[in-house]
Amino acid sequence: MNLLYSNILPLGTKEGQETVSNQISEEISNSDAIEIAVGYVSKASLEELDRIVTEHQIRHVILTIGMYFVEGMPEAMYHTAVAINQKWVAAGIGEIRMVRAFKYHGKLYAFYKDQQVKSAIIGSANLGVIKQEAANRRQYEVSAITVEQSECDEIATLIRKLASPACSARIDEITGMTLIREVNVSLTGVDTVDQLPQTQVELFEKHKTDISFILPIKVPAYAERHMDDGKHYTKSNLNVSYAAPRSARKSRDWYETQFTVSKKITLLPGYPEKNIAFYVITDDGYTFKAHTTSDGNKQFSAVGDELILGRWIKGRLAAAGLVTPVNDTQLDVDRTGMITKEMLAAYGCNTLVLTKTNQKMEDEEGNMLDVWILSFEAASQDEGDEA
């Protein structure tokens, strides 16, 4: 066995010493199959592993992750892992698994050539070691590599036991695992938006009335992203940014939304009156002024900034790792930034719920405005899309 190190001062690597990350990359480049069992991963390291697997045309890959089923998994990391697992399964090369039987904290790597394990690494390094980030830049790891056959076989056998149904399950078949919501930073620094502590949100929640409205979110299915007849993405609540630019020189902002509500809802008793501002408090603790506008009272939006509602909804999807904000929607010819039904399904929310409270808040001009709770939720089974 030879030790592997981190190259972090004052313990920088010396001549003849190798880093953990470089050795893993070297072993993968000389392998046609890899099997890994670690406690933790990162979103960036999952993406890096997938890139390496593709670059070196790895024919078989199994990644087993050990701690998140019990502790909960950050949602962006989870959705990234699910997407990569789907890619590997579809290609017939492998899968990502989650340990369920217990909390597994080990870090094991086995490298194969022609169906024979040729080397293995054991030590302190989780998968994050293959992709340096701010969080692990100063984290020192020590591992060891072995090419001794009996040791390689023993490590490989343990990895395969962890990947067996007795210990783990494929990530897309996992149920009951807590997902940890990521913080939506898209509203940070917006002058007309404030953030409340969760205790204050819960206090307003206790003052909800029976006046409540379900606002379905209209988006196309993945297969409909390129249907440009004006009946799909341009009339979608969240994808109006893909409509024709208002200016020949400037595309619409990706966060722009036009949240249109059907007459079936706007004509119900208690629905907010046209052009009368009120405060909304979102379920994740943001507050801003909103109003209803346009013919038939059909547009629901934030006051003074048409991007705020988009920053709230699309920002949450981006924080969850389901979509990446697009700098120029007109250049996004593959529509990778278009919100789809599949994205909402993966997030577990496809509707807004607007509920009035019996409370009021004072605005900057001294006016006392009604307070409504705005939630991003899953539609119940009896809720259909509104026309």
Side-chain angles (χ1 to χ4, degrees), residues 112 116-117 120 148-158:
Y112 292 78
Q116 178 69 39
V117 58
E148 203 281 319
Q149 197 60 53
S150 64
E151 293 175 340
C152 290
D153 289 341
E154 187 173 1
I155 291 172
T157 297
L158 179 54

Side-chain angles (χ1 to χ4, degrees), residues 30-44:
N30 294 317
S31 303
D32 56 23
I34 52 176
E35 296 186 359
I36 301 169
V38 293
Y40 296 101
V41 299
S42 66
K43 180 176 182 291

Side-chain angles (χ1 to χ4, degrees), residues 220 224-226 233 239 242 254 323 326 332 335-340 343:
E224 298 175 317
R225 292 173 305 150
H226 292 277
Y233 68 84
N239 295 312
Y242 284 87
W254 182 75
V323 66
V326 172
D332 184 21
R335 309 277 163 77
T336 59
M338 187 169 286
I339 308 304
T340 65
M343 288 180 188

Side-chain angles (χ1 to χ4, degrees), residues 218-220 224-246 252 256-260 299 330 335 338-339:
K218 304 163 194 166
V219 293
E224 298 175 317
R225 292 173 305 150
H226 292 277
M227 300 179 75
D228 297 344
D229 59 1
K231 296 180 180 178
H232 294 84
Y233 68 84
T234 56
K235 291 190 176 181
S236 166
N237 294 148
L238 302 186
N239 295 312
V240 69
S241 58
Y242 284 87
R246 292 191 179 91
R252 294 174 183 244
E256 183 182 344
T257 64
Q258 288 183 3
F259 206 93
T260 304
Q299 296 294 334
Q330 296 304 302
R335 309 277 163 77
M338 187 169 286
I339 308 304

Side-chain angles (χ1 to χ4, degrees), residues 143-374:
S143 295
I145 182 169
T146 180
V147 294
E148 203 281 319
Q149 197 60 53
S150 64
E151 293 175 340
C152 290
D153 289 341
E154 187 173 1
I155 291 172
T157 297
L158 179 54
I159 293 174
R160 290 193 169 177
K161 286 181 178 179
L162 290 163
S164 72
C167 293
S168 62
R170 208 169 72 186
I171 191 168
D172 58 330
E173 298 171 351
I174 287 286
T175 59
M177 183 173 68
T178 299
L179 292 187
I180 301 168
R181 291 295 191 197
E182 306 279 2
V183 177
N184 175 16
V185 297
S186 298
L187 288 169
T188 302
V190 178
D191 292 340
T192 55
V193 178
D194 292 316
Q195 195 163 11
L196 302 177
Q198 197 60 33
T199 52
Q200 195 167 350
V201 176
E202 292 169 0
L203 181 62
F204 278 103
E205 291 269 2
K206 293 179 180 179
H207 290 275
K208 284 182 176 179
T209 69
D210 293 333
I211 301 174
S212 187
F213 304 94
I214 297 168
L215 314 180
I217 298 175
K218 304 163 194 166
V219 293
Y222 180 84
E224 298 175 317
R225 292 173 305 150
H226 292 277
M227 300 179 75
D228 297 344
D229 59 1
K231 296 180 180 178
H232 294 84
Y233 68 84
T234 56
K235 291 190 176 181
S236 166
N237 294 148
L238 302 186
N239 295 312
V240 69
S241 58
Y242 284 87
R246 292 191 179 91
S247 166
R249 294 184 178 181
K250 187 175 182 181
S251 298
R252 294 174 183 244
D253 193 292
W254 182 75
Y255 287 106
E256 183 182 344
T257 64
Q258 288 183 3
F259 206 93
T260 304
V261 182
S262 74
K263 287 184 179 180
K264 184 178 179 180
I265 297 172
T266 62
L267 294 177
L268 290 173
Y271 190 76
E273 296 182 43
K274 181 177 178 180
N275 292 327
I276 296 181
F278 55 91
Y279 276 109
V280 296
I281 295 176
T282 67
D283 54 1
D284 55 350
Y286 291 101
T287 182
F288 50 85
K289 278 187 186 179
H291 60 177
T292 61
T293 62
S294 299
D295 296 339
N297 205 17
K298 66 181 181 181
Q299 296 294 334
F300 170 57
S301 63
V303 173
D305 190 339
E306 61 188 6
L307 304 183
I308 287 177
L309 202 58
R311 286 185 177 277
W312 179 58
I313 301 172
K314 298 172 85 169
R316 285 172 67 160
L317 298 175
L322 291 166
V323 66
T324 300
V326 172
N327 291 328
D328 190 331
T329 53
Q330 296 304 302
L331 297 180
D332 184 21
V333 294
D334 292 329
R335 309 277 163 77
T336 59
M338 187 169 286
I339 308 304
T340 65
K341 290 180 179 179
E342 289 82 358
M343 288 180 188
L344 297 182
Y347 191 72
C349 300
N350 59 358
T351 188
L352 301 186
V353 178
L354 184 64
T355 304
K356 191 175 184 180
T357 73
N358 57 17
Q359 301 294 291
K360 291 183 180 292
M361 285 175 56
E362 186 176 3
D363 70 5
E364 64 279 0
E365 297 175 351
N367 301 309
M368 299 301 294
L369 306 183
D370 289 335
V371 176
W372 294 67
I373 300 293
L374 182 63

Side-chain angles (χ1 to χ4, degrees), residues 130-141:
I130 69 173
K131 186 66 174 180
Q132 192 175 67
E133 300 178 273
N136 66 356
R137 190 175 298 277
R138 295 288 298 172
Q139 183 167 305
Y140 197 95
E141 307 289 359

